[in-house]
Coordinates of all heavy atoms in Angstrom, one line a residue:
M1160 N 32.6 -4.0 40.0 CA 33.8 -4.4 40.7 C 33.6 -5.6 41.6 O 34.4 -6.6 41.5 CB 34.1 -3.1 41.7 CG 35.4 -3.3 42.3 SD 35.9 -1.9 43.1 CE 37.0 -2.5 44.2
F1161 N 32.7 -5.7 42.5 CA 32.4 -6.8 43.3 C 31.4 -7.7 42.6 O 30.4 -7.1 42.0 CB 31.9 -6.5 44.6 CG 32.9 -5.8 45.5 CD1 32.7 -4.4 45.8 CD2 34.0 -6.4 45.8 CE1 33.7 -3.8 46.7 CE2 35.0 -5.7 46.7 CZ 34.9 -4.5 47.1
P1162 N 31.3 -9.0 42.7 CA 30.5 -9.8 42.0 C 29.1 -9.8 42.6 O 28.1 -9.8 42.0 CB 30.9 -11.2 42.1 CG 32.0 -11.1 43.2 CD 32.5 -9.7 43.3
Y1163 N 29.0 -9.5 44.0 CA 27.7 -9.4 44.8 C 27.8 -8.3 45.6 O 27.8 -8.5 46.9 CB 27.5 -10.7 45.4 CG 27.5 -12.0 44.5 CD1 28.7 -12.9 44.7 CD2 26.6 -12.3 43.6 CE1 28.8 -14.0 43.9 CE2 26.6 -13.4 42.9 CZ 27.7 -14.2 42.9 OH 27.8 -15.3 42.1
P1164 N 27.5 -7.0 45.2 CA 27.7 -5.9 46.1 C 26.6 -5.8 47.1 O 26.8 -5.3 48.2 CB 27.8 -4.6 45.1 CG 27.0 -5.2 43.8 CD 27.3 -6.6 43.8
E1165 N 25.4 -6.2 46.8 CA 24.4 -6.2 47.6 C 24.6 -7.0 48.9 O 24.4 -6.7 50.0 CB 23.0 -6.6 46.9 CG 21.7 -6.5 47.9 CD 21.3 -5.1 48.1 OE1 21.8 -4.2 47.6 OE2 20.6 -4.9 49.2
Q1166 N 25.1 -8.3 48.7 CA 25.3 -9.1 49.8 C 26.4 -8.7 50.7 O 26.4 -8.9 51.8 CB 25.8 -10.6 49.2 CG 24.6 -11.4 48.7 CD 24.2 -11.0 47.2 OE1 24.9 -10.2 46.7 NE2 23.1 -11.5 46.8
Y1167 N 27.4 -7.9 50.1 CA 28.4 -7.2 50.9 C 27.9 -6.1 51.8 O 28.3 -6.1 53.0 CB 29.5 -6.7 50.1 CG 30.5 -7.7 49.4 CD1 30.4 -8.0 48.1 CD2 31.2 -8.5 50.3 CE1 31.2 -8.8 47.4 CE2 32.1 -9.6 49.7 CZ 32.0 -9.8 48.3 OH 32.8 -10.7 47.6
R1168 N 26.9 -5.4 51.3 CA 26.3 -4.4 52.1 C 25.6 -5.0 53.1 O 25.5 -4.4 54.3 CB 25.5 -3.5 51.2 CG 26.3 -2.5 50.4 CD 25.3 -1.4 49.7 NE 24.0 -1.9 49.2 CZ 22.9 -1.5 49.8 NH1 22.8 -0.7 50.8 NH2 21.8 -2.1 49.3
L1169 N 24.7 -6.0 53.0 CA 23.9 -6.6 54.0 C 24.8 -7.3 55.1 O 24.3 -7.4 56.2 CB 23.0 -7.5 53.4 CG 21.8 -7.1 52.5 CD1 21.1 -8.2 51.7 CD2 20.9 -6.1 53.2
A1170 N 25.9 -7.8 54.7 CA 26.7 -8.5 55.6 C 27.7 -7.7 56.4 O 28.2 -8.1 57.5 CB 27.5 -9.6 54.9
A1171 N 27.8 -6.4 56.1 CA 28.7 -5.6 56.8 C 28.4 -5.4 58.3 O 29.3 -5.5 59.1 CB 28.8 -4.1 56.1
P1172 N 27.1 -5.0 58.7 CA 26.9 -4.9 60.2 C 27.1 -6.1 60.9 O 27.9 -6.1 62.1 CB 25.4 -4.5 60.2 CG 25.2 -3.8 58.9 CD 26.0 -4.6 57.9
P1173 N 26.8 -7.3 60.6 CA 27.2 -8.5 61.4 C 28.7 -8.9 61.4 O 29.2 -9.3 62.3 CB 26.4 -9.8 60.6 CG 25.3 -9.0 60.0 CD 25.7 -7.7 59.6
L1174 N 29.4 -8.5 60.2 CA 30.7 -8.6 60.3 C 31.5 -7.7 61.2 O 32.4 -8.1 62.0 CB 31.4 -8.6 58.9 CG 31.0 -9.6 57.9 CD1 31.5 -9.3 56.4 CD2 31.6 -11.0 58.3
I1175 N 31.0 -6.6 61.3 CA 31.6 -5.6 62.4 C 31.3 -6.1 63.8 O 32.0 -6.0 64.6 CB 30.9 -4.1 62.1 CG1 31.5 -3.6 60.7 CG2 31.4 -3.3 63.2 CD1 30.9 -2.4 60.3
T1176 N 30.1 -6.7 64.0 CA 29.8 -7.3 65.2 C 30.8 -8.4 65.5 O 31.3 -8.5 66.7 CB 28.3 -7.7 65.4 OG1 27.4 -6.7 65.0 CG2 28.0 -8.2 66.7
A1177 N 31.1 -9.4 64.8 CA 32.0 -10.2 64.9 C 33.4 -9.7 65.1 O 34.2 -10.3 66.0 CB 32.2 -11.2 63.6
F1178 N 33.8 -8.6 64.4 CA 35.0 -8.0 64.6 C 35.0 -7.5 66.0 O 36.2 -7.4 66.7 CB 35.4 -6.9 63.6 CG 36.5 -6.2 63.8 CD1 37.8 -6.8 63.5 CD2 36.6 -5.0 64.3 CE1 38.9 -6.1 63.8 CE2 37.8 -4.1 64.5 CZ 38.9 -4.8 64.2
M1179 N 34.0 -6.9 66.5 CA 33.9 -6.5 68.0 C 34.4 -7.5 69.0 O 35.2 -7.3 69.9 CB 32.6 -5.8 68.4 CG 32.3 -4.5 67.8 SD 31.0 -3.7 68.6 CE 29.6 -4.8 68.3
V1180 N 33.9 -8.7 68.8 CA 34.2 -9.9 69.7 C 35.6 -10.3 69.6 O 36.3 -10.3 70.5 CB 33.3 -11.1 69.2 CG1 33.8 -12.3 70.0 CG2 31.8 -10.7 69.6
L1181 N 36.1 -10.3 68.3 CA 37.6 -10.7 68.1 C 38.4 -9.6 68.7 O 39.4 -9.9 69.3 CB 37.9 -10.9 66.6 CG 37.3 -12.1 66.0 CD1 37.5 -12.1 64.5 CD2 37.9 -13.3 66.6
W1182 N 38.1 -8.3 68.5 CA 38.9 -7.2 69.0 C 38.9 -7.3 70.5 O 40.1 -7.0 71.1 CB 38.3 -5.8 68.5 CG 39.1 -4.8 69.1 CD1 38.7 -3.9 70.1 CD2 40.4 -4.3 68.7 NE1 39.7 -3.0 70.3 CE2 40.7 -3.2 69.5 CE3 41.3 -4.8 67.8 CZ2 42.0 -2.6 69.4 CZ3 42.7 -4.2 67.9 CH2 42.8 -3.1 68.5
S1183 N 37.8 -7.5 71.2 CA 37.7 -7.5 72.7 C 38.7 -8.6 73.1 O 39.4 -8.6 74.1 CB 36.4 -7.7 73.2 OG 35.8 -8.9 72.8
L1184 N 38.7 -9.9 72.5 CA 39.4 -11.1 72.9 C 40.9 -10.7 72.6 O 41.8 -10.9 73.7 CB 39.0 -12.3 72.2 CG 37.7 -12.8 72.5 CD1 37.3 -13.9 71.6 CD2 37.6 -13.1 74.0
L1185 N 41.3 -10.2 71.6 CA 42.6 -9.9 71.2 C 43.3 -8.7 72.1 O 44.4 -8.7 72.5 CB 43.0 -9.6 69.7 CG 42.8 -10.8 68.9 CD1 42.8 -10.5 67.4 CD2 43.8 -11.9 69.2
S1186 N 42.4 -7.6 72.2 CA 43.0 -6.4 72.9 C 43.2 -6.7 74.3 O 44.2 -6.1 74.9 CB 42.1 -5.3 72.6 OG 40.9 -5.4 73.3
R1187 N 42.4 -7.4 75.0 CA 42.6 -7.7 76.3 C 44.0 -8.7 76.5 O 44.6 -8.5 77.5 CB 41.5 -8.4 77.0 CG 41.6 -8.5 78.4 CD 40.4 -9.0 79.2 NE 40.7 -9.2 80.6 CZ 39.9 -9.9 81.4 NH1 38.8 -10.4 80.9 NH2 40.2 -10.1 82.7
A1188 N 44.1 -9.5 75.7 CA 45.3 -10.4 75.6 C 46.5 -9.6 75.4 O 47.6 -9.9 76.1 CB 45.2 -11.5 74.7
L1189 N 46.5 -8.7 74.5 CA 47.7 -7.8 74.1 C 48.1 -6.8 75.0 O 49.1 -6.4 75.3 CB 47.6 -7.4 72.6 CG 47.4 -8.4 71.6 CD1 47.3 -7.9 70.2 CD2 48.8 -9.2 71.6
F1190 N 46.9 -5.9 75.3 CA 47.2 -4.7 76.0 C 46.8 -4.7 77.6 O 47.1 -3.7 78.3 CB 46.3 -3.6 75.4 CG 46.6 -3.4 73.9 CD1 45.5 -3.5 73.0 CD2 47.8 -3.1 73.4 CE1 45.7 -3.4 71.6 CE2 48.1 -3.0 72.1 CZ 47.0 -3.1 71.2
G1191 N 46.2 -5.8 78.0 CA 45.9 -5.9 79.4 C 44.4 -5.3 79.8 O 43.6 -4.9 78.8
D1192 N 44.1 -5.3 81.0 CA 42.8 -4.8 81.5 C 42.7 -3.4 81.4 O 43.6 -2.5 81.8 CB 42.5 -5.3 82.8 CG 42.4 -6.7 83.1 OD1 42.1 -7.3 82.1 OD2 42.4 -7.2 84.3
G1193 N 41.6 -2.9 80.8 CA 41.3 -1.5 80.9 C 42.1 -0.6 80.1 O 42.2 0.6 80.2
S1194 N 42.7 -1.2 78.9 CA 43.6 -0.3 78.0 C 42.6 0.6 77.1 O 41.7 0.1 76.6 CB 44.4 -1.3 77.2 OG 45.1 -0.5 76.3
P1195 N 43.1 1.9 77.0 CA 42.2 2.7 76.2 C 42.2 2.3 74.6 O 41.4 2.6 74.1 CB 42.9 4.2 76.3 CG 43.6 4.1 77.6 CD 43.9 2.7 77.8
I1196 N 43.4 1.7 74.4 CA 43.6 1.3 73.0 C 42.6 0.3 72.6 O 42.1 0.1 71.6 CB 45.1 0.8 72.8 CG1 46.0 1.8 72.9 CG2 45.2 0.1 71.4 CD1 47.5 1.3 72.9
G1197 N 42.1 -0.6 73.7 CA 41.2 -1.6 73.2 C 39.8 -0.9 73.3 O 38.8 -1.4 72.6
F1198 N 39.5 0.1 74.1 CA 38.2 0.7 74.2 C 37.8 1.6 72.9 O 36.7 1.5 72.5 CB 38.1 1.6 75.4 CG 37.9 0.8 76.7 CD1 38.9 1.1 77.7 CD2 36.8 0.0 77.0 CE1 38.6 0.4 78.9 CE2 36.6 -0.7 78.0 CZ 37.6 -0.5 79.1
Y1199 N 38.7 2.5 72.6 CA 38.3 3.4 71.5 C 37.8 2.8 70.2 O 36.8 3.4 69.7 CB 39.5 4.4 71.2 CG 40.0 5.3 72.4 CD1 41.2 5.5 72.8 CD2 38.8 5.7 73.2 CE1 41.5 6.4 73.8 CE2 39.3 6.5 74.3 CZ 40.5 6.9 74.6 OH 40.8 7.7 75.6
P1200 N 38.4 1.8 69.7 CA 37.7 1.1 68.5 C 36.2 0.6 68.8 O 35.3 0.8 67.9 CB 38.5 0.0 68.1 CG 40.0 0.4 68.7 CD 39.6 1.2 70.0
L1201 N 36.1 0.2 69.9 CA 34.7 -0.3 70.3 C 33.7 0.9 70.3 O 32.5 0.7 69.9 CB 34.7 -1.1 71.7 CG 35.3 -2.4 71.6 CD1 35.2 -3.0 73.0 CD2 34.5 -3.3 70.7
F1202 N 34.0 2.0 70.9 CA 33.3 3.0 71.0 C 32.9 3.7 69.5 O 31.9 4.4 69.3 CB 33.9 4.2 71.8 CG 34.1 3.9 73.2 CD1 35.1 4.4 74.0 CD2 33.1 3.1 73.8 CE1 35.2 4.1 75.4 CE2 33.1 2.8 75.2 CZ 34.3 3.2 76.0
M1203 N 33.8 3.4 68.5 CA 33.5 3.8 67.1 C 32.6 2.7 66.4 O 31.9 3.2 65.4 CB 34.7 4.0 66.4 CG 35.4 5.4 66.9 SD 36.8 5.8 66.0 CE 38.0 4.5 66.5
L1204 N 32.7 1.5 66.8 CA 32.2 0.5 65.9 C 30.6 0.4 66.1 O 29.9 0.1 65.1 CB 32.8 -1.0 66.2 CG 34.2 -1.1 65.8 CD1 34.8 -2.4 66.2 CD2 34.3 -0.9 64.2
F1205 N 30.2 0.5 67.3 CA 28.9 0.5 67.6 C 27.9 1.5 66.7 O 26.9 1.1 66.1 CB 28.3 0.4 68.9 CG 27.0 0.3 69.3 CD1 26.4 -1.1 69.0 CD2 26.0 1.2 69.8 CE1 25.0 -1.3 69.0 CE2 24.7 0.9 70.0 CZ 24.1 -0.3 69.7
P1206 N 28.4 2.7 66.9 CA 27.7 3.9 66.1 C 27.8 3.5 64.6 O 26.8 3.8 63.7 CB 28.4 5.1 66.4 CG 29.0 4.8 67.8 CD 29.3 3.4 67.8
L1207 N 28.9 3.0 64.1 CA 29.1 2.5 62.7 C 28.0 1.6 62.3 O 27.4 1.6 61.3 CB 30.6 2.1 62.4 CG 30.8 1.7 61.1 CD1 30.8 2.8 60.2 CD2 32.0 0.9 61.1
I1208 N 27.7 0.6 63.1 CA 26.8 -0.5 63.0 C 25.3 0.3 62.7 O 24.7 -0.1 61.8 CB 26.7 -1.4 64.0 CG1 27.9 -2.3 64.0 CG2 25.4 -2.3 63.9 CD1 28.0 -3.3 65.2
I1209 N 25.0 1.3 63.6 CA 23.8 2.0 63.6 C 23.7 2.8 62.2 O 22.6 2.7 61.5 CB 23.6 2.8 64.7 CG1 23.5 2.0 66.0 CG2 22.5 3.8 64.6 CD1 23.4 2.8 67.3
L1210 N 24.8 3.4 61.8 CA 24.8 4.2 60.6 C 24.6 3.2 59.4 O 24.0 3.6 58.5 CB 26.1 5.0 60.5 CG 26.2 6.2 61.5 CD1 27.5 6.8 61.4 CD2 25.2 7.2 61.3
L1211 N 25.3 2.1 59.4 CA 25.2 1.1 58.3 C 23.8 0.7 58.1 O 23.3 0.6 57.0 CB 26.2 0.1 58.4 CG 27.6 0.3 58.0 CD1 28.5 -0.9 58.4 CD2 27.8 0.8 56.6
H1212 N 23.1 0.4 59.2 CA 21.7 0.1 59.1 C 20.9 1.2 58.7 O 19.9 0.9 58.0 CB 21.3 -0.5 60.5 CG 21.6 -1.9 60.8 ND1 21.1 -3.0 60.0 CD2 22.4 -2.6 61.7 CE1 21.5 -4.2 60.5 NE2 22.3 -3.9 61.6
G1213 N 21.2 2.4 59.1 CA 20.4 3.4 58.6 C 20.6 3.7 57.1 O 19.7 4.0 56.3
Q1214 N 21.8 3.5 56.6 CA 22.0 3.4 55.2 C 21.2 2.4 54.4 O 20.7 2.7 53.4 CB 23.6 3.4 54.8 CG 23.8 3.3 53.3 CD 25.3 2.9 53.0 OE1 25.9 2.4 54.0 NE2 25.7 3.3 51.9
L1215 N 21.2 1.2 55.0 CA 20.4 0.1 54.4 C 19.0 0.5 54.3 O 18.4 0.1 53.3 CB 20.6 -1.1 55.1 CG 22.1 -1.9 55.0 CD1 22.1 -3.0 56.0 CD2 22.3 -2.3 53.6
I1216 N 18.4 1.0 55.4 CA 17.0 1.4 55.4 C 16.8 2.5 54.4 O 15.8 2.6 53.6 CB 16.6 1.9 56.6 CG1 16.6 0.6 57.7 CG2 15.2 2.5 56.7 CD1 16.4 1.0 59.1
W1217 N 17.8 3.5 54.3 CA 17.6 4.7 53.4 C 17.7 4.2 51.9 O 16.8 4.8 51.1 CB 18.6 5.6 53.7 CG 18.6 6.9 52.9 CD1 19.3 7.1 51.7 CD2 17.7 8.0 53.1 NE1 19.0 8.4 51.1 CE2 17.9 9.0 52.0 CE3 16.8 8.4 54.1 CZ2 17.3 10.1 52.0 CZ3 16.3 9.6 54.0 CH2 16.4 10.4 52.9
Q1218 N 18.5 3.2 51.6 CA 18.6 2.8 50.1 C 17.7 1.8 49.7 O 17.5 1.6 48.5 CB 20.1 2.3 49.9 CG 21.0 3.4 50.0 CD 22.5 2.9 49.8 OE1 22.7 1.7 49.8 NE2 23.4 3.8 49.6
A1219 N 16.8 1.2 50.7 CA 15.9 0.2 50.2 C 14.6 0.9 49.6 O 14.5 2.1 49.8 CB 15.5 -0.6 51.5
R1220 N 13.9 0.0 48.8 CA 12.8 0.6 48.1 C 11.5 -0.1 48.6 O 11.5 -1.4 48.7 CB 12.9 0.4 46.6 CG 14.0 1.3 46.1 CD 14.2 1.1 44.5 NE 15.2 1.9 44.1 CZ 16.5 1.6 43.9 NH1 16.7 0.3 44.1 NH2 17.3 2.2 43.3
G1221 N 10.4 0.5 48.7 CA 9.1 0.0 49.0 C 9.0 -0.8 50.3 O 9.5 -0.4 51.4
M1222 N 8.5 -2.0 50.2 CA 8.3 -3.0 51.4 C 9.6 -3.4 51.8 O 9.8 -3.9 53.0 CB 7.3 -4.1 51.1 CG 5.9 -3.7 51.0 SD 5.4 -2.8 52.6 CE 5.3 -4.3 53.5
E1223 N 10.7 -3.3 51.1 CA 12.1 -3.7 51.5 C 12.5 -2.9 52.6 O 13.4 -3.3 53.5 CB 13.1 -3.7 50.3 CG 14.3 -4.4 50.6 CD 15.4 -4.3 49.4 OE1 14.8 -4.2 48.4 OE2 16.5 -4.3 49.7
R1224 N 12.0 -1.7 52.8 CA 12.4 -0.8 54.0 C 11.9 -1.3 55.2 O 12.6 -1.3 56.2 CB 11.7 0.7 53.8 CG 12.6 1.4 52.8 CD 12.2 2.8 52.9 NE 12.8 3.7 51.8 CZ 13.1 4.8 51.8 NH1 12.3 5.6 52.8 NH2 13.7 5.4 50.8
L1225 N 10.7 -2.0 55.2 CA 10.2 -2.7 56.4 C 11.1 -3.8 56.8 O 11.5 -4.0 57.9 CB 8.9 -3.2 56.2 CG 8.1 -3.8 57.4 CD1 8.1 -2.9 58.6 CD2 6.9 -4.3 56.9
D1226 N 11.6 -4.6 55.7 CA 12.5 -5.7 56.0 C 13.8 -5.3 56.6 O 14.2 -5.8 57.6 CB 12.8 -6.5 54.8 CG 11.6 -7.2 54.1 OD1 10.6 -7.4 54.9 OD2 11.7 -7.3 52.9
Q1227 N 14.4 -4.1 56.1 CA 15.5 -3.6 56.5 C 15.4 -3.0 58.0 O 16.2 -3.1 58.7 CB 16.2 -2.4 55.6 CG 16.6 -3.1 54.3 CD 17.8 -4.0 54.4 OE1 18.5 -4.0 55.3 NE2 17.8 -5.1 53.5
G1228 N 14.2 -2.5 58.1 CA 13.9 -1.9 59.6 C 13.9 -3.0 60.6 O 14.5 -2.8 61.8
V1229 N 13.3 -4.1 60.3 CA 13.2 -5.2 61.2 C 14.6 -5.7 61.4 O 15.0 -6.1 62.4 CB 12.3 -6.2 60.7 CG1 12.3 -7.5 61.6 CG2 10.7 -5.8 60.7
Y1230 N 15.3 -6.0 60.4 CA 16.7 -6.4 60.5 C 17.5 -5.5 61.3 O 18.3 -6.0 62.1 CB 17.2 -6.6 59.0 CG 18.8 -6.8 58.8 CD1 19.4 -7.9 59.7 CD2 19.5 -6.1 58.0 CE1 20.8 -8.1 59.5 CE2 20.8 -6.3 57.8 CZ 21.5 -7.3 58.5 OH 22.8 -7.6 58.5
A1231 N 17.4 -4.2 61.1 CA 18.1 -3.3 61.9 C 17.7 -3.3 63.3 O 18.6 -3.3 64.2 CB 17.9 -1.9 61.3
F1232 N 16.4 -3.4 63.7 CA 16.0 -3.5 65.0 C 16.6 -4.7 65.8 O 17.1 -4.5 66.9 CB 14.5 -3.6 65.1 CG 13.8 -3.6 66.5 CD1 13.9 -2.5 67.2 CD2 13.3 -4.9 67.0 CE1 13.5 -2.6 68.6 CE2 12.8 -4.8 68.1 CZ 12.8 -3.7 69.1
I1233 N 16.6 -5.9 65.2 CA 17.0 -7.1 65.8 C 18.5 -7.0 65.9 O 18.9 -7.5 67.0 CB 16.5 -8.3 65.0 CG1 15.0 -8.5 65.1 CG2 17.2 -9.6 65.4 CD1 14.4 -9.4 64.1
H1234 N 19.2 -6.7 64.8 CA 20.6 -6.7 64.9 C 21.2 -5.6 65.8 O 22.2 -5.9 66.6 CB 21.2 -6.5 63.6 CG 22.7 -6.7 63.6 ND1 23.6 -5.6 63.4 CD2 23.5 -7.8 63.9 CE1 24.9 -5.9 63.6 NE2 24.8 -7.3 63.9
V1235 N 20.6 -4.4 65.8 CA 21.2 -3.4 66.8 C 21.0 -3.8 68.3 O 21.8 -3.6 69.0 CB 20.5 -2.0 66.3 CG1 20.8 -1.1 67.5 CG2 21.0 -1.5 65.0
A1236 N 19.7 -4.5 68.5 CA 19.5 -4.9 69.9 C 20.6 -6.0 70.3 O 21.2 -5.9 71.3 CB 18.2 -5.5 70.0
L1237 N 20.8 -6.9 69.4 CA 21.8 -7.9 69.7 C 23.3 -7.5 69.7 O 24.0 -7.8 70.6 CB 21.8 -9.1 68.7 CG 20.4 -9.9 68.7 CD1 20.4 -10.9 67.6 CD2 20.3 -10.5 70.0
A1238 N 23.5 -6.4 68.9 CA 25.0 -5.9 68.8 C 25.2 -5.0 70.0 O 26.2 -4.9 70.5 CB 25.1 -5.0 67.6
F1239 N 24.1 -4.3 70.5 CA 24.3 -3.6 71.8 C 24.8 -4.5 73.0 O 25.5 -4.3 73.7 CB 23.0 -2.9 72.1 CG 23.0 -2.1 73.5 CD1 23.8 -1.0 73.4 CD2 22.5 -2.6 74.5 CE1 23.9 -0.2 74.6 CE2 22.6 -1.9 75.8 CZ 23.3 -0.7 75.7
V1240 N 24.1 -5.8 73.0 CA 24.5 -6.7 74.1 C 25.8 -7.2 73.8 O 26.6 -7.2 74.9 CB 23.4 -7.9 74.1 CG1 23.9 -8.9 75.1 CG2 22.1 -7.4 74.4
V1241 N 26.2 -7.5 72.7 CA 27.6 -8.0 72.4 C 28.6 -6.8 72.6 O 29.7 -7.0 73.2 CB 27.6 -8.3 70.9 CG1 29.1 -8.5 70.5 CG2 26.9 -9.6 70.7
W1242 N 28.2 -5.6 72.3 CA 29.1 -4.4 72.6 C 29.3 -4.1 74.0 O 30.4 -3.9 74.6 CB 28.5 -3.2 71.9 CG 29.2 -2.0 72.1 CD1 30.4 -1.5 71.5 CD2 28.7 -0.8 72.6 NE1 30.6 -0.3 71.8 CE2 29.7 0.3 72.4 CE3 27.6 -0.4 73.4 CZ2 29.5 1.6 72.9 CZ3 27.4 0.8 73.9 CH2 28.4 1.8 73.7
T1243 N 28.2 -4.3 74.7 CA 28.3 -4.2 76.3 C 29.3 -5.2 76.9 O 30.0 -4.9 77.7 CB 27.0 -4.2 76.9 OG1 26.1 -3.2 76.3 CG2 27.0 -3.9 78.4
F1244 N 29.1 -6.4 76.5 CA 30.0 -7.4 77.0 C 31.4 -7.3 76.6 O 32.3 -7.7 77.2 CB 29.4 -8.8 76.8 CG 28.3 -9.1 77.6 CD1 26.9 -9.2 77.3 CD2 28.5 -9.4 79.1 CE1 25.8 -9.6 78.1 CE2 27.4 -9.7 79.9 CZ 26.1 -9.7 79.5
A1245 N 31.5 -6.8 75.3 CA 32.9 -6.6 74.9 C 33.6 -5.5 75.6 O 34.8 -5.7 76.1 CB 32.9 -6.3 73.4
I1246 N 32.9 -4.5 76.0 CA 33.5 -3.4 76.8 C 33.8 -4.0 78.2 O 34.8 -3.7 78.8 CB 32.5 -2.2 76.9 CG1 32.4 -1.5 75.6 CG2 33.0 -1.3 78.1 CD1 31.4 -0.5 75.5
M1247 N 32.9 -4.8 78.8 CA 33.1 -5.4 80.0 C 34.3 -6.3 80.0 O 35.1 -6.4 81.1 CB 31.9 -6.1 80.5 CG 30.7 -5.2 81.0 SD 29.0 -6.1 81.1 CE 29.5 -7.4 82.4
H1248 N 34.5 -7.1 79.0 CA 35.6 -8.0 78.8 C 36.9 -7.2 78.7 O 37.9 -7.5 79.5 CB 35.5 -8.8 77.6 CG 36.6 -9.8 77.5 ND1 36.7 -10.9 78.3 CD2 37.6 -9.8 76.6 CE1 37.8 -11.6 78.0 NE2 38.3 -11.0 76.9
I1249 N 37.0 -6.1 77.9 CA 38.2 -5.4 77.9 C 38.5 -4.7 79.3 O 39.8 -4.6 79.6 CB 38.1 -4.4 76.8 CG1 38.1 -5.0 75.5 CG2 39.2 -3.3 76.9 CD1 37.9 -4.2 74.3
N1250 N 37.5 -4.2 79.9 CA 37.7 -3.6 81.2 C 38.3 -4.6 82.2 O 39.2 -4.3 83.0 CB 36.3 -3.0 81.7 CG 36.7 -2.1 82.8 OD1 37.7 -1.4 82.9 ND2 35.8 -2.0 83.8
G1251 N 37.8 -5.7 82.3 CA 38.4 -6.8 83.2 C 38.3 -6.3 84.6 O 37.3 -6.0 85.1
N1252 N 39.5 -6.3 85.3 CA 39.6 -5.8 86.6 C 40.1 -4.3 86.6 O 40.8 -3.9 87.5 CB 40.5 -6.6 87.4 CG 40.1 -8.1 87.6 OD1 38.8 -8.2 87.7 ND2 40.7 -9.0 87.5
G1253 N 39.8 -3.5 85.6 CA 40.3 -2.2 85.4 C 39.7 -1.2 86.4 O 40.3 -0.1 86.7
F1254 N 38.5 -1.5 87.0 CA 37.9 -0.6 88.0 C 38.6 -0.6 89.3 O 38.8 -1.5 90.1 CB 36.4 -0.7 88.2 CG 35.6 -0.2 87.1 CD1 34.6 -0.9 86.4 CD2 35.8 1.1 86.7 CE1 33.9 -0.3 85.5 CE2 35.1 1.7 85.7 CZ 34.0 1.0 85.1

């Protein structure tokens, strides 16, 4: 169906991270500070990133599992920082 399905699977977690940034920028502009509509998708996207990395590790074979594990470790750490700042951006002056 897709010409390069492996590349789509590998690119899914960074694309979701980019979507988190876009969502935080748009949701604060559209819904204002501290809107639950802005928060709830973010609370679902970070666990989705972790699950997708787990799937990539599970489906890898041999030494490629180590590659996927390192990729997951680095990306999940960076995505956590992006996720935290996205939540902080949406919250704004909501406290």
Side-chain angles (χ1 to χ4, degrees):
M1160 182 172 163
F1161 294 115
Y1163 306 106
E1165 182 69 20
Q1166 284 80 6
Y1167 289 114
R1168 284 190 323 113
L1169 292 174
L1174 289 175
I1175 293 172
T1176 304
F1178 178 72
M1179 282 195 303
V1180 172
L1181 291 174
W1182 177 254
S1183 68
L1184 294 173
L1185 289 175
S1186 66
R1187 184 170 179 196
L1189 294 175
F1190 305 122
D1192 290 346
S1194 173
I1196 297 172
F1198 283 120
Y1199 292 142
L1201 286 180
F1202 292 145
M1203 291 184 287
L1204 289 176
F1205 185 67
L1207 179 63
I1208 289 171
I1209 294 171
L1210 290 174
L1211 286 174
H1212 276 297
Q1214 178 191 19
L1215 287 173
I1216 293 169
W1217 182 264
Q1218 290 179 348
R1220 293 184 180 93
M1222 287 300 290
E1223 189 179 337
R1224 282 192 183 196
L1225 180 63
D1226 297 338
Q1227 292 299 329
V1229 171
Y1230 171 48
F1232 178 74
I1233 293 170
H1234 182 253
V1235 168
L1237 294 174
F1239 179 76
V1240 173
V1241 169
W1242 180 66
T1243 303
F1244 282 108
I1246 290 172
M1247 289 169 52
H1248 180 74
I1249 288 176
N1250 194 31
N1252 296 322
F1254 278 132

